[in-house]
Amino acid sequence: MKALCWQGKEQVGVETVSDPHIINPHDAVVRITSTAICGSDLHLFDGYIPSMEQGDILGHEFMGEVVEIGSAVRNLAVGDRVVVPFPIACGHCYFCEHELWSLCDNTNPNAWMAEKLFGYSPAGIFGYSHMLGGYAGGQAQYARVPFADIGPIKVPERLSDEQVLFLSDIFPTGYMAAENCDIKPGDTVAVWGCGPVGQFAIKSAFLLGAGRVIAIDRFPERLRLARESARAETINYEEVDDVPGQLALMTGGRGPDACIDAVGMEAHGTSLLARMDAAKQKLMLETGRPNVLREAIRACRKGGVLSVAGVYGGFLDTIPFGAAFNKGLRIATGQCHVQRYLRPLLDRVQRNEIDPSFIITHRLSLDEAPRAYEIFRDKKENCVKVVLDPWAAPKAA
Amino acid sequence: MAEGIAAPGSPPQSQVSRSSQDQQRFGIAAGAAAAGGLLLAGLWLHAWPRVLLLSAAGCLGFRAFRAQQRGEPLRLWAQRGTNIESEDAISILRTPQELYQSWNDTELLRQIIPYCRGVERSGQRMRFTIERPVTGAVEMESEITQELENRLLAWEAVPGAEIQSAGEVRFEPDPSGRGSIVRLRLATGPSGWLRGFGLSAKQQAHTELRRFKQLMEAGEIATIQGQPHGQRSAMARLERLVPEPLGSDIMPAEYARPRRRGPVGEPLERERAIRPAREAI
Ligand SMILES: NC(=O)c1ccc[n+]([C@@H]2O[C@H](COP(=O)([O-])OP(=O)(O)OC[C@H]3O[C@@H](n4cnc5c(N)ncnc54)[C@H](O)[C@@H]3O)[C@@H](O)[C@H]2O)c1
Ligand SMILES: [Zn+2]
Ligand SMILES: [Zn+2]
């Protein structure tokens, strides 16, 4: 089959690899019909997540048709059309039973690596480094799905791939980011980052009763999308001196009730601290550029909530933890517990409350994935979200 | 017993140093210098070689520092007769009874012990075949020394066995009232490490417990062995010649255990409904 492989920092390529097959009794093999590139993949592309190896198959947002099932899978049949959540969960450990699916105890074969860094290991994830399982990902024509009786959700034929694909990650991720804010009717929520995760966080904040959402980014097309598709107010951070100051003005000197970081470890910035982060990251002295985290902590109102959906991998410097502590902030973080949201969010799609396909700007073939990574990373061609068809013939150039 | 292995829990034999002070200092200084060299080489290289060299530098540096602090000679590895001993614990959502019974299942033991190819039991004697990639197959014979139903099992290598090891596993009800805590203690002599397991007692105990938990809770041992991948680097291909010591180097393909269904203690057959996430949304 064809699969997109990580070949080194800033280098990915489509290779012909062997087809996946059933290895464990709870496996299934899925023929992938649609797969997407995520902001999280950019952290791999840019080389900021450790324990990647040349030849690793990327991708964790995918759906398709079940073509083979293991001997212990009872609730799926060959031919079922499924969306696959990105965290792999066993369904039977303490964490799965408490619906903390992305923290499953039993699905990371390389748990010892994560334990060295984090103390305890989270769940395995498709295509997301050996430290998080080393599982082959879904930017490919087929994928092996372990614990297939727990994660994948069957989707009705009348919904298109594009309407349900994002249940695999970014829709639930944005939703969880908003849910973590504990929104009371009329609350003001600030969202850093108007990428796909940010866009879903904005929509979800309104779905959960927010009165105002203020979205922050620098790309006009992304800010426009936030205004037009979700009626958010926006701040272009390149046009203001200081984002927390601007937020204070907009909220009458109080600060937003909750702040969502939908940017993560590769935040862009021009302040002195941000430049120092960039230099330290190059020297491998720091593993993230946390200037959004810093701004959000400073901007948040007293007793508010900081909800972090953006991914961080290692160590961060000069986090104003004193501000977080003295303002009594509550902090919620983590990879999304996608399995928890699949059914309810699918229902919302079916009731036409939301059509997640609004963020798609590029529909390409798998062969075009290397170029897609670049335009998505550099936000060229007004790119917001790329969906790949693994079976389409490459477009003649 | 050939190397005087003691059961876990007994104090390690003390090693009295006889080397002169000067020799000692020289050894430590040389060790520290070597660590510095490894550090520089590590910083210069990239990727895995870098990780390897930096870890080696760290280990050596730490040993040299500790030796200096304690006024002992620098030793690169444990001496003959030193017990390498470790204790680890894991929580598993199953009753102590279920866990005790499963631990007595030789097929399950084969699956959770790294590189194990076979386990036989006759009476109180157990025979393990361990087949490591480089050193080849070795047989280990041990005898069960203590058995408390649903609570404890202890074993020790038979006298004169090639590989000295001893161990003990305890099953305790979890104080939360759900599931159990399993404690595993392992001790091996140096030859156990070199010839038998290829893992330290600590890694060995940790790996066995994790696999045991995976089988008992999830019904299988998570693995990525055998999945597709693209072209690997030359370095990675070299590394792959030796199967990962801590990953799942065995494939429990046909052997699925019944998973735990529903709260601990309830019948296994009880239908487990995949929790339909919160209705509240
Ligand atoms: N927690 C989870 O489960 C989960 C799941 C998916 C993605 N993520 C993470 O969410 C983050 C966003 O993902 P995405 O797909 O939307 O990526 P994306 O790259 O499309 O979006 C990031 C956006 O942040 C903006 N940005 C950069 N610096 C900023 C700054 N200083 N202030 C405000 N905005 C800034 C960029 O302009 C961009 O629009 C990533 O870190 C990704 O890894 C987390
Ligand atoms: Zn993602
Ligand atoms: Zn689990």
Side-chain angles (χ1 to χ4, degrees):
Chain A
M1 67 162 182
K2 284 195 286 193
L4 186 81
C5 298
W6 191 86
Q7 299 171 331
K9 192 168 174 318
E10 298 185 2
Q11 211 179 329
V12 294
V14 177
E15 298 182 27
T16 302
V17 305
S18 60
D19 288 352
H21 56 270
I22 302 287
I23 296 173
N24 265 341
H26 298 94
D27 287 356
V29 175
V30 171
R31 178 188 183 274
I32 298 170
T33 52
S34 292
T35 178
I37 305 177
C38 176
S40 302
D41 293 326
L42 297 179
H43 305 319
L44 304 173
F45 184 62
D46 291 336
Y48 291 125
I49 303 277
S51 74
M52 285 300 291
E53 264 183 47
Q54 183 184 326
D56 288 346
I57 300 173
L58 294 176
H60 58 264
E61 300 183 358
F62 60 98
M63 62 176 296
E65 186 195 325
V66 176
V67 290
E68 209 184 333
I69 53 170
S71 57
V73 179
R74 306 259 175 274
N75 56 338
L76 288 181
V78 169
D80 283 348
R81 180 165 172 251
V82 293
V83 173
V84 181
F86 78 84
I88 302 170
C90 80
H92 302 275
C93 66
Y94 174 91
F95 297 92
C96 289
E97 294 213 331
H98 288 76
E99 296 197 65
L100 300 168
W101 306 91
S102 74
L103 302 176
C104 172
D105 253 348
N106 293 321
T107 55
N108 183 355
N110 298 323
W112 63 276
M113 290 191 198
E115 284 168 358
K116 288 235 151 61
L117 202 55
F118 304 145
Y120 300 95
S121 170
I125 295 180
F126 290 101
Y128 216 70
S129 86
H130 287 264
M131 186 174 77
L132 295 177
Y135 289 99
Q139 284 159 10
Q141 292 181 313
Y142 294 93
R144 163 190 171 232
V145 178
F147 296 101
D149 55 335
I150 300 302
I153 184 171
K154 286 186 235 179
V155 287
E157 288 301 329
R158 69 176 185 81
L159 296 175
S160 69
D161 273 22
E162 292 187 353
Q163 284 175 293
V164 292
L165 174 61
F166 302 136
L167 291 172
S168 60
D169 178 351
I170 48 174
F171 184 14
T173 295
Y175 192 91
M176 185 169 116
E179 194 186 60
N180 277 341
C181 292
D182 212 353
I183 296 169
K184 311 274 180 306
D187 272 2
T188 299
V189 179
V191 179
W192 277 255
C194 297
V197 171
Q199 300 288 347
F200 280 112
I202 296 166
K203 288 234 175 198
S204 304
F206 279 123
L207 285 174
L208 291 169
R212 292 172 78 186
V213 177
I214 304 172
I216 304 142
D217 205 306
R218 80 184 147 123
F219 293 102
E221 67 279 6
R222 291 181 172 221
L223 291 168
R224 190 175 339 109
L225 189 62
R227 276 194 304 273
E228 287 173 3
S229 81
R231 67 189 169 89
E233 297 158 60
T234 56
I235 299 176
N236 184 329
Y237 66 84
E238 288 193 317
E239 290 169 4
V240 300
D241 286 343
D242 157 46
V243 173
Q246 184 67 21
L247 284 167
L249 280 181
M250 292 171 79
T251 54
R254 206 167 86 113
D257 300 292
C259 292
I260 296 178
D261 170 354
V263 180
M265 63 200 281
E266 288 186 76
H268 161 265
T270 49
S271 68
L272 181 64
L273 272 181
R275 283 172 205 273
M276 275 169 60
D277 287 330
K280 282 190 279 192
Q281 203 174 34
K282 286 236 152 54
L283 292 170
M284 292 177 73
L285 292 175
E286 189 179 21
T287 44
R289 306 194 295 260
N291 59 310
V292 162
L293 209 51
R294 291 187 193 114
E295 279 182 6
I297 290 175
R298 212 151 69 75
C300 198
R301 78 149 160 87
K302 292 180 285 183
V305 181
L306 172 66
S307 165
V308 184
V311 165
Y312 293 88
F315 304 90
L316 304 173
D317 289 349
T318 42
I319 295 298
F321 203 75
F325 175 84
N326 286 290
K327 289 197 293 178
L329 300 189
R330 276 174 301 142
I331 302 180
T333 62
Q335 296 284 5
C336 181
H337 306 300
V338 178
Q339 283 84 338
R340 191 200 283 180
Y341 301 97
L342 285 173
R343 171 60 54 194
L345 294 184
L346 176 63
D347 288 348
R348 280 190 189 265
V349 176
Q350 276 184 292
R351 291 196 302 262
N352 285 326
E353 285 172 37
I354 183 167
D355 180 354
S357 63
F358 76 98
I359 54 165
I360 304 175
T361 52
H362 288 65
R363 297 168 173 87
L364 302 169
S365 70
L366 183 62
D367 298 88
E368 293 167 288
R371 183 176 78 87
Y373 266 76
E374 272 178 28
I375 58 172
F376 177 49
R377 199 254 322 251
D378 302 333
K379 319 300 178 214
K380 286 191 227 149
E381 301 178 15
N382 294 343
C383 181
V384 178
K385 188 74 180 178
V386 184
V387 174
L388 304 168
D389 178 346
W391 300 92
K395 286 195 200 88
Chain B
M1 276 193 268
E3 288 161 9
I5 184 117
S10 60
Q13 293 134 311
S14 69
Q15 301 290 331
V16 184
S17 148
R18 285 195 191 86
S19 26
S20 78
Q21 290 252 321
D22 282 349
Q23 262 175 337
Q24 233 181 65
R25 279 205 212 101
F26 177 76
I28 291 172
L38 286 172
L39 182 76
L40 285 179
L43 286 175
W44 181 66
L45 286 170
H46 283 284
W48 286 112
R50 168 182 235 171
V51 174
L52 280 177
L53 286 191
L54 288 184
S55 332
C59 286
L60 193 57
F62 173 71
R63 276 178 188 271
F65 174 74
R66 199 177 50 178
Q68 205 262 334
Q69 291 288 304
R70 294 184 181 172
E72 288 172 358
L74 174 66
R75 279 195 209 101
L76 297 187
W77 40 77
Q79 288 202 328
R80 263 182 91 77
T82 311
N83 268 354
I84 303 166
E85 189 186 317
S86 189
E87 175 175 347
D88 206 343
I90 206 161
S91 67
I92 304 183
L93 280 185
R94 283 227 166 169
T95 62
Q97 289 84 332
E98 290 170 308
L99 297 175
Y100 179 87
Q101 277 161 22
S102 299
W103 195 278
N104 270 307
D105 172 351
T106 50
E107 172 55 19
L108 179 134
L109 282 184
R110 183 187 71 77
Q111 290 199 52
I112 66 171
I113 299 173
Y115 303 121
C116 185
R117 295 291 168 254
V119 182
E120 283 163 43
R121 178 169 180 174
S122 57
Q124 297 302 89
R125 288 254 167 146
M126 316 260 312
R127 178 192 287 275
F128 302 83
T129 312
I130 308 286
E131 199 174 326
R132 293 192 49 220
V134 181
T135 48
V138 285
E139 298 265 302
M140 300 175 49
E141 215 175 339
S142 62
E143 192 163 343
I144 294 177
T145 51
Q146 206 186 354
E147 228 171 346
L148 296 174
E149 199 174 345
N150 300 334
R151 284 171 52 202
L152 178 143
L153 270 173
W155 60 92
E156 217 173 273
V158 296
E162 188 185 359
I163 295 191
Q164 291 303 317
S165 71
E168 177 191 284
V169 60
R170 285 171 190 270
F171 307 95
E172 304 165 1
D174 191 293
S176 74
R178 299 197 57 215
S180 314
I181 292 175
V182 183
R183 297 183 190 282
L184 178 62
R185 292 160 79 170
L186 291 179
T188 57
S191 71
W193 183 75
L194 287 173
R195 297 254 2 228
F197 300 114
L199 302 175
S200 69
K202 189 173 163 185
Q203 293 169 321
Q204 177 86 14
H206 195 67
T207 309
E208 287 183 15
L209 283 182
R210 177 165 290 283
R211 290 181 178 182
F212 185 48
K213 176 183 168 83
Q214 290 182 350
L215 278 178
M216 298 309 297
E217 286 185 347
E220 65 184 43
I221 296 175
T223 184
I224 56 169
Q225 297 262 316
Q227 69 172 14
H229 57 77
Q231 177 85 38
R232 295 290 189 202
S233 66
M235 186 67 193
R237 285 203 299 273
L238 258 181
E239 278 173 15
R240 287 257 144 62
L241 289 179
V242 181
E244 299 234 346
L246 296 177
S248 37
D249 60 318
I250 43 162
M251 266 167 262
E254 313 82 289
Y255 185 78
R257 317 207 106 229
R259 289 183 186 181
R260 197 177 61 70
R261 309 240 172 234
V264 174
E266 286 191 21
L268 294 183
E269 304 75 50
R270 208 194 75 139
E271 250 329 295
R272 185 189 53 80
I274 295 180
R275 200 167 307 194
R278 285 178 246 177
E279 283 77 57
I281 301 186

